[in-house]
Structure formats: structure tokens, C-alpha cells
Amino acid sequence: MTKNLTLAIEDELLDRARIIAAIRRTSVNAMVREYLEREVRREGDDARRADAWAAFFRETGTPRSGPEAGEGVKFDREELYNEVLRERGLL
């Protein structure tokens, strides 16, 4: 279901947004909707990524902060980079 939303923005900003929308052959409405979709998706991605890293540290027994941080299982830089690359689907 689609809902209507009323926004209050400055005239100059709206004029410039309309120009950009025309160049992109879309509408200001579509631009705002796409922006909000991107932000919501990114927020979800960030939360999933944080959960994944928290699980990683829990599983390895490596504290993320506090006086115990750095004790326990050690990882070298390359191993952590590889973990990030795997997370991003690059490895």
C-alpha cells in the first residue's frame, strides 16, 4: 500500500531537485522514494553487519572492548581483511 507524504522544503531546493529529476527523466517523488529505500536498506545492512561481527567475536572468544580486549584469540591483519572481503563477497 502506498501512502502520501507531505514535505516542507525550501523553494530553491525544490527547484534544483526538479531540474535534476528532469535530467534523470524521473520525478522528485521517485527520487525521494529511492533515497528513503536506500537509507532503510543501508540501515538494515549495517545492523546485519554489526550482528555478524558480534557473532564472530562471540564465537572466537575475542572481546571487542574493555580490559579483556586483546587477550584470548589473536588475529593477524590479513585474516581480518580476508574476513571483510568474504563479507563483501569479494573472496
Side-chain angles (χ1 to χ4, degrees):
M1 172 189 275
T2 303
K3 299 276 187 173
N4 288 328
L5 172 70
T6 302
L7 297 175
I9 61 174
E10 298 293 323
D11 289 339
E12 184 179 339
L13 177 58
L14 180 57
D15 291 342
R16 293 175 73 185
R18 284 180 173 149
I19 291 168
I20 293 169
I23 291 169
R24 294 179 182 175
R25 295 181 184 204
T26 189
S27 66
V28 173
N29 184 62
M31 287 174 44
V32 170
R33 184 175 46 250
E34 289 166 8
Y35 170 77
L36 292 174
E37 288 170 350
R38 243 187 346 264
E39 287 301 304
V40 168
R41 189 171 43 251
R42 184 179 358 170
E43 188 70 26
D45 290 347
D46 289 348
R48 281 189 293 281
R49 188 174 300 112
D51 289 346
W53 278 108
F56 172 78
F57 284 111
R58 260 193 322 275
E59 290 168 12
T60 60
T62 303
R64 295 174 65 184
S65 62
E68 314 84 33
E71 298 174 7
V73 180
K74 302 282 184 179
F75 297 97
D76 63 29
R77 181 181 301 174
E78 187 169 332
E79 190 172 351
L80 287 174
Y81 284 145
N82 286 339
E83 183 67 28
V84 170
L85 292 175
R86 276 191 295 278
E87 175 186 296
R88 295 181 182 175
L90 301 173
L91 241 186

